[in-house]
Amino acid sequence: MDAAEILVSAAAGAGASIVTAYVTYRMTARQDQRKWRAELAEKYALLTADQPRAAQALARQFAVGVLILEQGDTETREKIFIAPNTRMTAGRSDDNEIVLPGFTASRHHFSISADGANAYVEDLGSANGTFLNDAPVRGRTLLRNGDRIRIDKSFHVEFQPLISSG
């Protein structure tokens, strides 16, 4: 066996080792990512019930978007971060993650849900309806940058994405 054959054999072995290591890494990374997503959603749900500020701190770290709630002037703005793979409800009842002001809001008016990259709004059968950019929300509807969710003229929610949906 000459030196050229040894070098080719060594290079082939090294290449095979690199490919095997890369494939193993990618498979492990995907498994870890699935586990992380499930754990994040579970931790967020547990915190939301008893520690809403801690839930928002967790959501802020990984958020797919933010809702800016505004009633009247800009001094009453509130930000709510949307964690991936979660669902929040909004309405006038205190058991919602987003408590809406006023009598025009239903007890459970609309929901905001998110997958890994996008956020959606859905009316929950409210009496007065939910509007997205002045059009009635029908079914689960994708939110885009700058979209405004409105329940009446005195209150609206603006959506801003925090990660690219591409």
Side-chain angles (χ1 to χ4, degrees):
M1 194 179 259
D2 66 358
E5 289 177 339
I6 293 172
L7 288 175
V8 169
S9 179
S17 293
I18 291 170
V19 169
T20 301
Y22 176 76
V23 169
T24 302
Y25 165 77
R26 293 291 294 177
M27 289 174 61
T28 303
R30 284 186 183 150
Q31 290 171 344
D32 289 347
Q33 189 177 38
R34 281 188 213 108
K35 181 180 174 187
W36 173 84
R37 284 180 181 158
E39 288 175 359
L40 174 67
E42 184 178 337
K43 286 178 186 176
Y44 178 80
L46 291 171
L47 285 172
T48 298
D50 298 325
Q51 301 174 28
R53 286 183 184 215
Q56 273 298 289
L58 179 64
R60 187 178 300 117
Q61 294 177 45
F62 306 102
V64 298
V66 64
L67 300 173
I68 301 171
L69 286 64
E70 190 173 308
Q71 181 180 10
D73 59 30
T74 57
E75 292 179 18
T76 57
R77 282 185 177 173
E78 180 182 355
K79 290 183 180 179
I80 297 180
F81 292 87
I82 307 167
N85 306 304
T86 60
R87 181 176 183 263
M88 297 183 282
T89 58
R92 74 170 188 268
S93 178
D94 288 337
D95 65 349
N96 292 290
E97 290 84 3
I98 304 169
V99 178
L100 301 175
F103 296 106
T104 58
S106 295
R107 285 187 308 247
H108 299 101
H109 203 97
F110 64 86
S111 70
I112 300 290
S113 59
D115 55 25
N118 296 299
Y120 305 87
V121 62
E122 184 174 6
D123 185 76
L124 298 176
S126 63
N128 296 320
T130 302
F131 298 87
L132 182 62
N133 302 322
D134 295 324
V137 172
R138 305 268 188 247
R140 188 172 183 232
T141 305
L142 177 68
L143 291 171
R144 300 191 187 281
N145 187 28
D147 277 353
R148 288 181 173 236
I149 303 165
R150 185 178 54 78
I151 59 168
D152 65 24
K153 298 222 184 276
S154 68
F155 178 81
H156 72 268
V157 178
E158 183 177 325
F159 172 74
Q160 294 177 355
L162 295 178
I163 62 173
S164 170
S165 61

